């Protein structure tokens, strides 16, 4: 078995107690056989709660754009899946044998956030849809922050949160539309 990143040899290790993996001595990435992960996951009991994302905490830098990676077990190309939840990297999975490649420190980052036991969900359409939705929300908020300024956008977000919980939100929105249309007509 060779490393999907630098073709170096992989040696047996453990990611966690009872979870065998293979590590590259050069790049320190790890190859995880999916069956080993699922067996370990079944023995773990209930999910570890996710630790919320702290935008001020340091996180690994997003991975550089690299060429295609090949599965350490079957040689097929790996597919990248974004983790999301405030984590900037992607995880590679083989679509043939389902093996998983984790670059150096990715397992530790997932573990520190309580996401290491959700690895099996990260490759599914539900998780990936959530990642895309989260990214779209972040981009939209960044755009409104640039357009309105941080202070005004913060006020608008606060108002929006209040409005979303208000029992008569539709009437409040109708009033805002009326006020806006009257002001626009006045010029």
């Amino acid at each position: 078995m060779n490393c999907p990143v630098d073709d170096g040899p992989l040696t047996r290790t453990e990611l966690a107690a009872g979870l065998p993996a293979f590590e590259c001595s050069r790049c320190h990435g790890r190859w995880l056989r999916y069956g080993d992960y699922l067996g370990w996951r079944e023995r773990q009991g209930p999910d570890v709660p996710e630790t919320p994302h702290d935008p001020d905490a340091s996180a690994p830098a997003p991975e550089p754009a690299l060429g295609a990676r090949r599965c350490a077990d079957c040689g097929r190309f790996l597919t990248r899946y974004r983790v999301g939840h405030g984590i900037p990297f992607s995880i590679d999975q083989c679509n043939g044998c389902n093996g998983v490649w984790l670059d150096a420190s990715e397992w530790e980052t997932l573990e520190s956030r309580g996401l290491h036991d959700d690895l099996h969900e990260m490759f599914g359409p539900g998780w990936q849809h959530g990642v895309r939705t989260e990214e779209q929300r972040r981009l939209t908020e960044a755009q409104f922050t640039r357009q309105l300024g941080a202070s005004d956008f913060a006020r608008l977000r606060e108002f929006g949160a209040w409005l979303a919980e208000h029992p008569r939100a539709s009437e409040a929105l109708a009033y805002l539309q009326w006020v806006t249309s009257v002001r626009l007509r006045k010029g």
Side-chain angles (χ1 to χ4, degrees):
M1 264 198 318
N2 291 331
C3 174
V5 173
D6 62 23
D7 210 32
L10 299 177
T11 57
R12 199 163 193 52
T13 188
E14 271 194 344
L15 283 178
L19 179 56
F22 299 87
E23 183 170 2
C24 175
S25 62
R26 294 180 197 162
C27 72
H28 302 287
R30 287 126 172 192
W31 181 251
L32 178 59
R33 289 182 170 147
Y34 200 60
D36 291 340
Y37 172 79
L38 291 177
W40 172 83
R41 177 66 187 89
E42 281 181 16
R43 295 186 301 274
Q44 296 310 299
D47 272 357
V48 173
E50 179 181 344
T51 303
H53 170 60
D54 178 2
D56 298 326
S58 64
E63 60 202 354
L66 300 173
R69 296 176 176 185
R70 290 196 174 265
C71 175
D73 278 320
C74 70
R76 291 185 182 188
F77 286 111
L78 302 179
T79 302
R80 289 197 174 114
Y81 293 88
R82 297 189 45 215
V83 175
H85 296 243
I87 294 177
F89 56 78
S90 298
I91 295 175
D92 302 295
Q93 185 185 40
C94 176
N95 290 327
C97 68
N98 294 323
V100 177
W101 176 256
L102 298 158
D103 289 320
S105 79
E106 288 180 348
W107 176 262
E108 290 77 10
T109 300
L110 294 174
E111 192 172 37
S112 72
R113 291 283 310 284
L115 292 170
H116 63 298
D117 57 356
D118 295 323
L119 194 62
H120 60 293
E121 295 178 21
M122 292 179 191
F123 307 112
W127 188 283
Q128 291 301 305
H129 175 73
V131 168
R132 288 188 303 276
T133 301
E134 173 188 320
E135 179 67 11
Q136 184 60 50
R137 182 198 52 77
R138 189 187 66 71
L139 292 171
T140 300
E141 288 184 356
Q143 179 180 353
F144 277 114
T145 300
R146 282 190 309 275
Q147 290 174 338
L148 300 171
S151 177
D152 285 348
F153 182 61
R155 289 178 68 194
L156 190 57
R157 281 183 62 182
E158 183 180 335
F159 177 76
W162 171 83
L163 185 60
E165 296 298 320
H166 198 281
R168 300 187 66 129
S170 60
E171 287 90 343
L173 282 172
Y175 173 74
L176 289 174
Q177 289 173 332
W178 176 77
V179 167
T180 304
S181 70
V182 169
R183 288 199 178 168
L184 288 175
R185 279 185 276 174
K186 285 183 179 180

